[in-house]
Amino acid sequence: MFEQYPKFFRYLGTRSSSIQDELGSDAADLARLLRKYPEVVAPSRDTAIDYALYLKTLIRFGALRPTLAPLFTDYFGDRVIAWALEVDADPIGPILARRKNFSMQQLDLIQLGRHDAMELAELLEHAGDGAAEDAVEELVAYDEPADGVFEGMFGHTYSARVDLPQAMPSPAPETPVFDTADADAPAAGEPPRRDFFVTAHELSSAAGEERIGPSTGALASEQAYALRMGVARAKKNNLAQGNTVVVDVPAGGLSTHWVVVSRDVDFIAEGSNCQVRRAGSFWEASFDLHVPAQGDSAVHELRIRTGAALGELQVAIYAVGQDGGREMYRELTVDLGAPSLIARDDTVAAASQLLLTTTHEWTTPRFHVHVRLWKETALVTMRRGAQIKDYTHDEDWNITAAELAPFIHGVRDAFDRLRENWSEYFDAIDAADLAARLAERSTDLAAHMQGGWGSLPSRADAVHEASFQAMSASDEWREFATAGYALYNTCFAAGTRLRAMLDELEPGSRVDFQWTEGSGRVPHMPWALMNLRMPDVTRVEPIDPEGFLGLRFRLASQAWATHDPSRALASATPTHALNLLYWGSEKEDPVATESAWQSAEFAGWGQSVLPDLLQADPKLQVVKALDQPAPEPVGVVYFYCHCSVADDRLVLRFGESNDAKDRVTHTDLSFRKFATAPMVFANACSTATADPFQTGMLESRFFDRGVRAYVGTEIKVPVQLASKFAWLFFQLFYRRHDPKPMAAGEALTQARMFLWQQYRNVGGLFYGLVNQYDLYFATDAEVAALKE
């Protein structure tokens, strides 16, 4: 893997007829070092660490030996840029293909070693007289790994094991970690309130000895601190002053993994009892923590130095299962400014409902990737089945909303031209045929969708197949695919590890995009419309619909804070749906025809359907229902109508005319918080569309009112397709097709894939779901059963 080093030694040979004469007494040491070069005969889990140790030793030897250092510096100074390009051109996938016995974590380790070598070579290239030796001594202190873990150069942390790192012991604090003197007394019979805490203790030196001062609330710039983190009873001087209460922890406790990231605070590895590393332009610290069902947890310490601006910390807390799989539990943003506090605390999922299994095993993806985008940083985790541990990596991600904006508009515009010219293709779904196909759903579908779905077998008849072939040969389809690739290529630049991972991820994998914090946030990103396959400009190769992310992966998107972390839409009482349907009745109006069909279907399912045209003022009925849905609990609010936005004025048109009596405008939409946190399905034109620089008006209004998830349309949708897709989604989500609970995100995915497989219809791409993918039309008890 380190072919550059053998080349270096050949280079030495060209400098002198005798390496012995060139190196003098260093030759014997160099010969001994070369004999230790690890050979890849049968790669094991220790191979990667052997390479890293060898690389580290060789760099230190070459840079510090007086006779060798000039040659070392000269060689790598000339070649560091070319070497960097060579590394970028050799992404993780091709390496994995050649070294199939390497784990992703081992490959990560090897790449970090290479990254160390390049950084050191650059440092040596520009170091002044005498500076190189000092820098190397500071950055490359060689130590044998202790307990399989050692610190690399530039803050990298290496582990010899591919399983989860062992928890490191907590230090005995010199001063109390916190003061409970002002903690609220619990009510009689109730346990004390427990919170996540982050406390800061001044770190300084007295008489040459390190000391830690008292806990402080207001931090100073350019000062060293020891941050202590864990779970304990409420206390003062907690930097985490937001809604940090810890509840609902299972009886056996909860195993968690914490990842702390910052771009404007330096982390100090020495003295910290967690893993610390420098990753690109940011720092990362991580540790495992067991949260007990009651009482305090262990304490982990991270030492930091603030800069001129105090900055922020991003804290991601993952639940860890017995098989090593991780799932996002909490996300905290800690503002270190005075007064220091948690700027944001998002409980992504209730502690008792984490790491669920499923009653539909064939819907469980073999690969589950989670991508958090925060302050020009991408933090990536991937779970690969029950027996393979998590893979994680972080990288700089510098794309901005301004850069994305023209490509987002471009793909939506191209999609709209496709819809306008090929609406007959999209609408060619007969209600009776759809119901029959769903009832006769092929049992082999489950086999093909076990984990991944590859290339699903087509069940389309000749008519629908011919319609798809005609559409896919059109210029509009090629323009849409090209615009989708342009957005993908801009968002995930070629040569990055995240791009390589997405390119190679098998179909049917689940990818969660979480973009909830920091500048440049796009509140509604059309992930499904991205195309990861570059169109063939010679037009020899056809455009493959399964290149679009919406037809390739299970996509989850979180862009808003979680208002209710429960994954059950009802507690103990079964929930129901409220349907608000277009009330126009003209025979030639296709929306009226579809609305009447939906009304009959939903009423037959025992659901509420409004307005009641036998009662007065249908508009007022809808306005009241959107203000306070009844009777409670309402788990889903669905509406089917026209939608338009002009001059920041939102209009939902439920009737034929454009008169006020048929329109619900932004002034008619309530700001009242929902009594329960429902899911909203807005089946109207462009109800999910959001300008990259502002939120979508309708989506924003509903999240402000406390909805848990939102399904909307990316652009205007063909009328019949919109009606049939909603019916299909609800058949799966409401458990009519199968009584077992299916998550909302999975139901949307299955509806997309059903239309594609059964009709060769890509119409599922019109829809997107934001926030809670794992939300069930079920009770708490039914969701809890998914853990058994």
Side-chain angles (χ1 to χ4, degrees):
M1 301 295 291
F2 301 110
E3 63 279 359
Q4 203 70 16
Y5 284 88
K7 291 178 184 178
F8 170 56
F9 297 123
R10 288 196 294 272
Y11 161 78
L12 291 180
T14 67
R15 295 293 302 264
S16 171
S17 59
S18 168
I19 294 179
Q20 178 73 40
D21 292 340
E22 184 79 30
L23 298 181
S25 62
D26 291 335
D29 290 338
L30 178 59
R32 282 194 295 270
L33 180 60
L34 289 175
R35 284 196 293 271
K36 295 181 180 179
Y37 187 90
E39 295 184 11
V40 183
V41 178
S44 68
R45 70 182 192 177
D46 296 323
T47 303
I49 202 165
D50 290 339
Y51 267 123
L53 284 170
Y54 174 80
L55 172 64
K56 189 175 182 181
T57 308
L58 184 59
I59 291 175
R60 185 173 186 271
F61 180 94
L64 296 184
R65 295 300 173 109
T67 53
L68 193 61
L71 303 177
F72 185 95
T73 304
D74 176 68
Y75 180 83
F76 285 102
D78 291 340
R79 289 160 177 77
V80 64
I81 296 176
W83 190 13
L85 294 175
E86 181 180 335
V87 172
D88 287 342
D90 191 21
I92 214 165
I95 297 174
L96 186 61
R98 293 196 302 270
R99 302 284 188 227
K100 295 184 179 179
N101 291 329
F102 278 134
S103 71
M104 296 294 279
Q105 192 170 8
Q106 289 167 338
L107 290 168
D108 191 36
L109 175 65
I110 292 171
Q111 288 194 339
L112 286 176
R114 296 170 70 133
H115 183 66
D116 271 349
M118 288 186 289
E119 286 199 36
L120 182 59
E122 283 191 286
L123 185 149
L124 294 173
E125 179 184 7
H126 301 292
D129 292 339
E133 183 170 344
D134 294 339
V136 173
E137 286 287 10
E138 180 180 350
L139 297 173
V140 199
Y142 176 76
D143 294 305
E144 292 292 339
D147 296 326
V149 177
F150 69 96
E151 294 296 326
M153 298 170 296
F154 304 95
H156 297 319
T157 299
Y158 300 113
S159 173
R161 284 188 281 270
V162 295
D163 51 354
L164 295 177
Q166 297 178 353
M168 303 181 72
S170 301
E174 299 176 21
T175 57
V177 175
F178 52 82
D179 187 344
T180 60
D182 63 346
D184 295 333
E190 294 184 2
R193 165 178 163 155
R194 296 186 303 162
D195 288 303
F196 292 115
F197 71 84
V198 179
T199 58
H201 304 262
E202 295 177 2
L203 190 62
S204 56
S205 60
E209 295 182 1
E210 179 186 276
R211 68 178 179 84
I212 298 179
S215 178
T216 180
L219 275 63
S221 60
E222 299 180 343
Q223 172 66 42
Y225 292 94
L227 298 183
R228 290 175 176 157
M229 296 169 280
V231 172
R233 183 180 170 184
K235 54 213 158 290
K236 62 183 179 182
N237 292 331
N238 181 8
L239 301 185
Q241 296 174 6
N243 178 28
T244 59
V245 62
V246 179
V247 297
D248 203 25
V249 176
L254 183 67
S255 296
T256 64
H257 180 73
W258 294 42
V259 179
V260 185
V261 177
S262 182
R263 278 186 172 271
D264 27 42
V265 175
D266 287 336
F267 292 180
I268 305 169
E270 184 178 357
S272 297
N273 73 328
C274 51
Q275 295 189 24
V276 176
R277 70 186 183 102
R278 181 75 174 178
S281 59
F282 54 92
W283 285 97
E284 179 187 282
S286 60
F287 57 87
D288 293 327
L289 179 74
H290 181 76
V291 179
Q294 297 181 6
D296 299 346
S297 73
V299 178
H300 281 266
E301 183 170 294
L302 169 64
R303 299 192 175 189
I304 68 169
R305 178 173 292 276
T306 58
L310 294 178
E312 290 183 343
L313 303 175
Q314 175 82 354
V315 183
I317 305 174
Y318 297 87
V320 181
Q322 292 182 349
D323 60 2
R326 297 179 190 171
E327 184 175 8
M328 177 70 77
Y329 167 39
R330 302 284 285 260
E331 183 183 29
L332 316 176
T333 301
V334 182
D335 183 356
L336 295 176
S340 300
L341 49 80
I342 276 199
R344 178 174 169 273
D345 173 26
D346 188 10
T347 303
V348 179
S352 62
Q353 296 177 350
L354 290 160
L355 302 165
L356 302 178
T357 57
T358 178
T359 53
H360 304 85
E361 185 54 38
W362 51 275
T363 67
T364 303
R366 290 200 305 121
F367 293 80
H368 186 166
V369 176
H370 186 272
V371 181
R372 286 193 300 130
L373 304 173
W374 176 79
K375 281 196 172 183
E376 301 180 347
T377 304
L379 303 104
V380 184
T381 65
M382 180 170 70
R383 182 181 181 185
R384 299 183 292 156
Q387 302 304 318
I388 306 177
K389 309 305 181 186
D390 282 359
Y391 159 72
T392 66
H393 87 265
D394 308 333
E395 64 184 61
D396 290 332
W397 189 83
N398 300 317
I399 191 68
T400 65
E403 292 174 285
L404 288 171
F407 298 98
I408 293 174
H409 290 309
V411 74
R412 284 180 171 143
D413 290 346
F415 198 14
D416 198 46
R417 287 191 292 273
L418 180 68
R419 172 206 58 81
E420 185 176 0
N421 291 308
W422 293 91
S423 57
E424 289 186 7
Y425 156 76
F426 289 111
D427 277 338
I429 301 175
D430 176 76
D433 182 67
L434 179 64
R437 286 175 181 262
L438 184 61
E440 298 171 0
R441 194 178 193 188
S442 302
T443 56
D444 66 347
L445 180 62
H448 282 284
M449 296 188 73
Q450 182 73 39
W453 53 63
S455 182
L456 290 173
S458 174
R459 302 296 177 191
D461 55 38
V463 174
H464 287 96
E465 186 66 47
S467 180
F468 165 70
Q469 293 299 331
M471 184 280 296
S472 62
S474 69
D475 289 340
E476 294 86 0
W477 173 246
R478 182 164 291 277
E479 288 175 4
F480 175 43
T482 301
Y485 179 77
L487 177 58
Y488 177 71
N489 194 49
T490 303
C491 193
F492 305 109
T496 62
R497 297 173 65 190
L498 180 54
R499 169 65 174 268
M501 173 183 286
L502 293 174
D503 282 347
E504 297 165 14
L505 200 59
E506 70 175 30
S509 299
R510 176 168 160 179
V511 183
D512 296 7
F513 293 108
Q514 185 180 18
W515 195 352
T516 58
E517 197 69 46
S519 60
R521 164 180 171 258
V522 177
H524 186 94
M525 186 75 172
W527 305 109
L529 305 187
M530 293 184 180
N531 176 20
L532 57 72
R533 293 181 178 169
M534 182 189 301
D536 177 13
V537 295
T538 67
R539 305 198 177 205
V540 174
E541 294 292 330
I543 302 296
D544 183 0
E546 292 180 26
F548 285 94
L549 266 59
L551 295 175
R552 187 173 185 83
F553 302 134
R554 295 168 161 90
L555 292 180
S557 173
Q558 184 184 358
W560 306 84
T562 306
H563 293 290
D564 186 338
S566 174
R567 291 174 165 174
L569 279 170
S571 53
T573 305
T575 188
H576 69 279
L578 176 61
N579 302 281
L580 310 175
L581 303 180
Y582 183 85
W583 59 67
S585 58
E586 291 186 358
K587 292 183 178 180
E588 301 302 319
D589 184 350
V591 181
T593 301
E594 293 300 324
S595 180
W597 175 72
Q598 290 182 62
S599 179
E601 287 290 316
F602 298 152
W605 299 356
Q607 295 181 359
S608 300
V609 177
L610 291 175
D612 181 353
L613 297 181
L614 298 179
Q615 305 296 322
D617 202 341
K619 174 181 174 177
L620 184 59
Q621 294 180 53
V622 169
V623 170
K624 286 183 175 180
L626 288 172
D627 179 34
Q628 292 181 288
E632 293 290 358
V634 173
V636 177
V637 176
Y638 168 76
F639 52 88
Y640 176 76
C641 61
H642 291 288
C643 175
S644 64
V645 178
D647 299 325
D648 293 330
R649 297 176 61 189
L650 175 69
V651 175
L652 300 175
R653 184 163 63 84
F654 283 86
E656 291 100 350
S657 77
N658 203 31
D659 298 337
K661 65 180 180 63
D662 285 336
R663 296 183 304 149
V664 173
T665 71
H666 65 287
T667 60
D668 301 312
L669 292 175
S670 176
F671 289 89
R672 189 194 310 273
K673 297 290 186 182
F674 286 111
T676 56
M679 182 184 84
V680 167
F681 188 155
N683 201 6
C685 304
S686 306
T687 55
T689 300
D691 187 276
F693 300 103
Q694 61 183 358
T695 59
M697 292 185 64
L698 195 61
E699 181 176 321
S700 174
R701 179 69 62 88
F702 279 118
F703 275 111
D704 287 344
R705 296 180 62 191
V707 302
R708 280 188 256 187
Y710 180 90
V711 179
T713 61
E714 297 290 354
I715 61 168
K716 185 176 181 179
V717 184
V719 172
Q720 288 90 339
L721 172 67
S723 180
K724 304 306 187 298
F725 185 86
W727 179 90
L728 179 58
F729 169 79
F730 287 135
Q731 282 280 344
L732 301 171
F733 184 53
Y734 289 159
R735 304 156 59 179
R736 295 190 55 80
H737 172 66
D738 185 333
K740 300 173 184 177
M742 179 178 285
E746 188 64 32
L748 185 72
T749 296
Q750 293 297 322
R752 279 179 182 157
M753 300 310 297
F754 187 87
L755 292 186
W756 169 233
Q757 188 198 26
Q758 297 290 330
Y759 294 100
R760 280 299 181 249
N761 191 312
V762 300
L765 296 176
F766 284 101
Y767 292 89
L769 183 146
V770 183
N771 269 36
Q772 288 171 270
Y773 183 101
D774 297 301
L775 186 63
Y776 294 88
F777 196 75
T779 64
D780 283 335
E782 289 173 312
V783 171
L786 297 178
K787 291 183 72 74
E788 299 174 356

